[in-house]
C-alpha cells in the first residue's frame, strides 16, 4: 500500500527515511504560478521525534508496516515481559528496554496497546490512568502540617509515587501514568 | 457557516467596487465557460460542457482591453482543479484589473489603495507595505531548476513573508505573461499576512513571444502526461493590438482572510 500526497491525512502512518512516522500536520501549498507541494510534520513512531518534510504533489510514500494490538500484561521474568493479545490470545514477549520506565506500572491483567513495526513490538502505550493499592507508605504523623504535604508511597504494581499525607496503606489509588505517576485520587 | 467571515467579505467586496469605480475602472462580467482556460502549465482547468471553466478571467479581459476599454475589472468566480486546503478551494473568487498606459509599478499603487480601503471597511489595521525582489529573497542566487526554486520558495521564503510585502522582478522562466526588461520579468506578487494575495504583470505585448510561451507551456504539460491547454488565438490577436498595459489578479477570499485573521478559506465563503 502506498500513499500519494493527496491521500495525506492526520494519523496516517507512513514509512520514510528508514523509520515509521505518523502524519501530525499536513497542508497543501502551491504558489499561484508554481508547482504544488504538501508540507508535513511527521512524528517518528519509534522515538517520538518530529520532523518537517515537504513533498511534491504526486510523490508517493509507502504505508508504514505498523500495527497496534490490544494486549493484556501476564507476567515478567528477568526483565522480559509477557503480554497476551486479548482478541487472538497469542502471547508475545517484550524486552524491558522497550517499556522503559513504564514497566513499573504493569500489573497482571493490565490492558495496554502494543505497537508492532515490521512484526516487532516497539512501543507499549499504557492506559492514561491505573488503579493500584498502596503496598507501603509512612504513617501520617499527627499534627505535621508544616512542611511535608506529600510523602513517598509504594504501590502494589511496583511504582513509587508521591501521595498526600492522608493516604494509608491498603487504600486503592487512581494514578496518572502519563507524567511518570502522579496521584489523582483515592477510590 | 461563518457569519462574521461572510459579513467581512461583503464589506471587502463593496470597498473594492467603490475603490475601482472611483479610479475610473469599468466593471465587466467575463464568461466563466471558455475555450482556452489559461497559459498555465501548473493549473488544472476543469472541463465543462464544450470548453473549460476559466482559471482566471485573464484572456477575456485582455480581449476587452485590446478592444477599446482602457480601464477594466472583474470580480468573478474561478475554478482550479486539484487544489484543496485552508488556502485553496476549487471554486474561489478573483479580482482582476487591467489598465492601459501603465506598468507593474502602477499596479502596486492601485492595489495598495484598494487593500487600504478594504482594511478600513472591516476595521483592520492599515498595512504598511514594503518591497523586495526575487533575487534579494534568494540572496542573489536564484535556483535555475523549477523544483528547487519552488521548494525553497515554499520552505524558506514564503514563511518569512509575514508583513505586507511586494515581491518584484521574477526570472525569465517564471515570466508567465509578463513583459521582459533586461532578462527580468516585470512581474509582481503581493504577500499579506503570509498569504500570496496578488500576481501582476507589465503585460507582454509581443504576440509572437506569447505564441512561443503557449508552445513551451504545452510542451511542459505534455512531458508530465497532462493534456496541453489549447493556444488561445483570440488572446494572441488581442496581444498584437494591445497598447502598453498592466494587469493584476487579487485573491478576494484570501484578502478577506488576511484582513480578518480567518484561517480557512471555507470560513469566508458560503458553503457549497
Amino acid at each position: 500500500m502506498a500513499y500519494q500526497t493527496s491521500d495525506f491525512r492526520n494519523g496516517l502512518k507512513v514509512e520514510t527515511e528508514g523509520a515509521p512516522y505518523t502524519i501530525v500536520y499536513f497542508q497543501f501549498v502551491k504558489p499561484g504560478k508554481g508547482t504544488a507541494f504538501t508540507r508535513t510534520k511527521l512524528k517518528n513512531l519509534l522515538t517520538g521525534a518530529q520532523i518537517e518534510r515537504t513533498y511534491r504533489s504526486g510523490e508517493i510514500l509507502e504505508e508504514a508496516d505498523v500495527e497496534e494490538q490490544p494486549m493484556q500484561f501476564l507476567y515478567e521474568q528477568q526483565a522480559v515481559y509477557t503480554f497476551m493479545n486479548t482478541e487472538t490470545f497469542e502471547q508475545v514477549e517484550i524486552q524491558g528496554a522497550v517499556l522503559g520506565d513504564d514497566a513499573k506500572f504493569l500489573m497482571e491483567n493490565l490492558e495496554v496497546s502494543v505497537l508492532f513495526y515490521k512484526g516487532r513490538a516497539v512501543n507499549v502505550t499504557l492506559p492514561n490512568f491505573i488503579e493500584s493499592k498502596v503496598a507501603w507508605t509512612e504513617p501520617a504523623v499527627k499534627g505535621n502540617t508544616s512542611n511535608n504535604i506529600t510523602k513517598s508511597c509504594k504501590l502494589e504494581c511496583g511504582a513509587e509515587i508521591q501521595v498526600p499525607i492522608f493516604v494509608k496503606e491498603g487504600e486503592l489509588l487512581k494514578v496518572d501514568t502519563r507524567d511518570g505517576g502522579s496521584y489523582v485520587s483515592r477510590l | 457557516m461563518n457569519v462574521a467571515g461572510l459579513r467581512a467579505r461583503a464589506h471587502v467586496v463593496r470597498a473594492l467596487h467603490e475603490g475601482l469605480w472611483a479610479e475610473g475602472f469599468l466593471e465587466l462580467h467575463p464568461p466563466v465557460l471558455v475555450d482556452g482556460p489559461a497559459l498555465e502549465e501548473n493549473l488544472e482547468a476543469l472541463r465543462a460542457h464544450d470548453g473549460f471553466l476559466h482559471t482566471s478571467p485573464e484572456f477575456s479581459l485582455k480581449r476587452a482591453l485590446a478592444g477599446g476599454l482602457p480601464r477594466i475589472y472583474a470580480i468573478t468566480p474561478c475554478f482550479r482543479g486539484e487544489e484543496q486546503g485552508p488556502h485553496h478551494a476549487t471554486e474561489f473568487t478573483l479580482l482582476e484589473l487591467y489598465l492601459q498606459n501603465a506598468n507593474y509599478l502602477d499596479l502596486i499603487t492601485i492595489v495598495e489603495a484598494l487593500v487600504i480601503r478594504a482594511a478600513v471597511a472591516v476595521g483592520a489595521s492599515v498595512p504598511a507595505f514594503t518591497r523586495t525582489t526575487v533575487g534579494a529573497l534568494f540572496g542573489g542566487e536564484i535556483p535555475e531548476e523549477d523544483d528547487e526554486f519552488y521548494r525553497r520558495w515554499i520552505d524558506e521564503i514564503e514563511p518569512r513573508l509575514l508583513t505586507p510585502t511586494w515581491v518584484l522582478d521574477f526570472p525569465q522562466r517564471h515570466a508567465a505573461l509578463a513583459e521582459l526588461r533586461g532578462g527580468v520579468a516585470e512581474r509582481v506578487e503581493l504577500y499579506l499576512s503570509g498569504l500570496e494575495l496578488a500576481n501582476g504583470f507589465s503585460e507582454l505585448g509581443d504576440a509572437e513571444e506569447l505564441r512561443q510561451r503557449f508552445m513551451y507551456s504545452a510542451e511542459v504539460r505534455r512531458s508530465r502526461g497532462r493534456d496541453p491547454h489549447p493556444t488561445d488565438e483570440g488572446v494572441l490577436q488581442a496581444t498584437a493590438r494591445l497598447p502598453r498595459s498592466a494587469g493584476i489578479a487579487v485573491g478576494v477570499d484570501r484578502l478577506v482572510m488576511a484582513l480578518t485573521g480567518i484561517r480557512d478559506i471555507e470560513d469566508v465563503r458560503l458553503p457549497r
Side-chain angles (χ1 to χ4, degrees):
Chain A
M1 180 76 183
Y3 298 115
Q4 292 212 9
T5 49
S6 54
D7 300 322
F8 285 7
R9 296 290 174 269
N10 286 341
L12 203 68
K13 294 178 173 63
V14 296
E15 172 87 19
T16 186
E17 300 169 31
Y21 286 85
T22 182
I23 296 177
V24 293
Y25 169 89
F26 72 99
Q27 188 177 20
F28 176 84
V29 278
K30 180 185 178 305
K33 300 283 175 197
T35 43
F37 293 85
T38 301
R39 194 184 272 155
T40 66
K41 288 180 186 163
L42 305 172
K43 192 174 123 187
N44 187 315
L45 286 168
L46 305 180
T47 65
Q50 200 165 299
I51 59 171
E52 294 184 8
R53 292 291 180 270
T54 301
Y55 297 96
R56 191 162 30 151
S57 280
E59 267 189 84
I60 282 168
L61 287 181
E62 291 297 322
E63 181 183 20
D65 180 7
V66 292
E67 190 192 358
E68 271 192 285
Q69 291 185 19
M71 295 207 134
Q72 208 170 46
F73 175 61
L74 298 182
Y75 58 88
E76 177 248 327
Q77 209 166 27
Q78 292 169 339
V80 176
Y81 296 77
T82 302
F83 293 82
M84 180 184 72
N85 186 311
T86 53
E87 284 159 6
T88 65
F89 308 111
E90 260 180 68
Q91 292 189 11
V92 60
E93 290 183 346
I94 298 177
Q95 298 297 318
V98 172
L99 284 147
D101 202 35
D102 280 349
K104 68 187 182 187
F105 294 114
L106 290 177
M107 292 173 289
E108 208 179 307
N109 299 332
L110 184 71
E111 298 208 352
V112 300
S113 172
V114 177
L115 182 75
F116 290 85
Y117 174 49
K118 295 182 176 170
R120 199 161 51 86
V122 290
N123 192 35
V124 176
T125 306
L126 301 180
N128 292 343
F129 301 101
I130 59 154
E131 295 171 8
S132 185
K133 270 190 182 163
V134 177
W136 172 88
T137 187
E138 296 162 32
V141 179
K142 261 211 175 109
N144 181 6
T145 53
S146 54
N147 294 319
N148 301 328
I149 52 162
T150 64
K151 60 181 182 177
S152 292
C153 163
K154 195 166 164 74
L155 299 172
E156 284 189 348
C157 63
E160 275 192 47
I161 64 167
Q162 291 291 309
V163 295
I165 49 173
F166 53 76
V167 169
K168 298 188 198 71
E169 280 184 18
E171 284 183 318
L172 187 63
L173 303 186
K174 183 178 180 184
V175 176
D176 193 329
T177 63
R178 289 167 295 186
D179 52 4
S182 64
Y183 169 86
V184 178
S185 66
R186 290 188 288 187
L187 293 165
Chain B
M1 192 172 75
N2 185 320
V3 172
L6 295 176
R7 202 180 288 277
R9 180 190 185 92
H11 284 284
V12 166
V13 171
R14 178 180 172 176
L16 295 175
H17 281 298
E18 288 175 352
L20 287 155
W21 278 87
E23 288 294 322
F25 284 87
L26 193 72
E27 185 189 5
L28 296 182
H29 296 99
V32 173
L33 181 61
V34 297
D35 294 332
L39 183 129
E40 299 275 6
E41 55 265 26
N42 294 317
L43 293 186
E44 296 315 312
L46 302 183
R47 288 183 183 277
H49 187 52
D50 58 349
F52 298 89
L53 301 179
H54 68 176
T55 58
S56 85
E58 187 167 17
F59 289 176
S60 309
L61 293 184
K62 266 187 193 159
R63 277 197 278 269
L65 190 69
L69 295 166
R71 288 169 90 86
I72 51 175
Y73 78 99
I75 294 176
T76 180
C78 296
F79 298 84
R80 296 177 183 179
E82 301 178 22
E83 299 190 14
Q84 204 59 250
H87 303 159
H88 295 83
T90 306
E91 177 177 352
F92 64 103
T93 304
L94 272 185
L95 156 67
E96 275 201 26
L97 66 89
Y98 291 84
L99 67 163
Q100 294 183 358
N101 303 312
N103 68 16
Y104 70 147
L105 299 176
D106 300 309
L107 298 171
I108 294 178
T109 312
I110 292 166
V111 171
E112 282 187 2
L114 289 173
V115 171
I116 288 168
R117 203 182 255 266
V120 170
V122 295
S125 58
V126 171
F129 298 91
T130 56
R131 294 183 193 188
T132 184
T133 63
V134 175
L137 288 171
F138 277 108
E141 297 269 336
I142 302 174
E144 296 257 319
E145 214 256 315
D146 275 10
D147 190 66
E148 193 197 344
F149 179 91
Y150 286 118
R151 209 174 266 277
R152 287 187 54 196
W153 188 267
I154 284 167
D155 284 340
E156 297 167 29
I157 291 171
E158 242 185 26
R160 301 204 315 257
L161 297 175
L162 298 175
T163 56
T165 307
W166 289 98
V167 182
L168 290 83
D169 298 342
F170 283 69
Q172 184 169 353
R173 60 183 300 116
H174 302 287
L177 289 166
E179 190 71 77
L180 296 175
R181 175 185 34 83
V184 172
E186 288 198 341
R187 178 180 155 197
V188 63
E189 287 218 330
L190 173 61
Y191 278 81
L192 197 62
S193 302
L195 292 168
E196 184 192 19
L197 196 69
N199 178 79
F201 310 127
S202 299
E203 296 296 342
L204 179 63
D206 180 339
E208 200 39 51
E209 165 75 16
L210 180 58
R211 187 181 290 281
Q212 297 293 326
R213 291 191 197 175
F214 266 113
M215 285 163 65
Y216 171 76
S217 174
E219 199 48 54
V220 170
R221 290 186 62 83
R222 262 188 226 103
S223 73
R224 293 181 190 156
R226 302 271 190 181
D227 285 340
H229 291 154
T231 300
D232 189 311
E233 292 297 332
V235 86
L236 284 171
Q237 287 166 21
T239 297
R241 297 195 308 272
L242 208 60
R244 196 172 69 92
S245 303
I248 189 163
V250 181
V252 174
D253 314 274
R254 288 189 187 173
L255 175 58
V256 180
M257 292 165 71
L259 294 176
T260 57
I262 292 173
R263 287 166 177 224
D264 193 321
I265 193 166
E266 298 301 331
D267 287 334
V268 299
R269 301 184 56 81
L270 255 185
R272 186 170 161 183

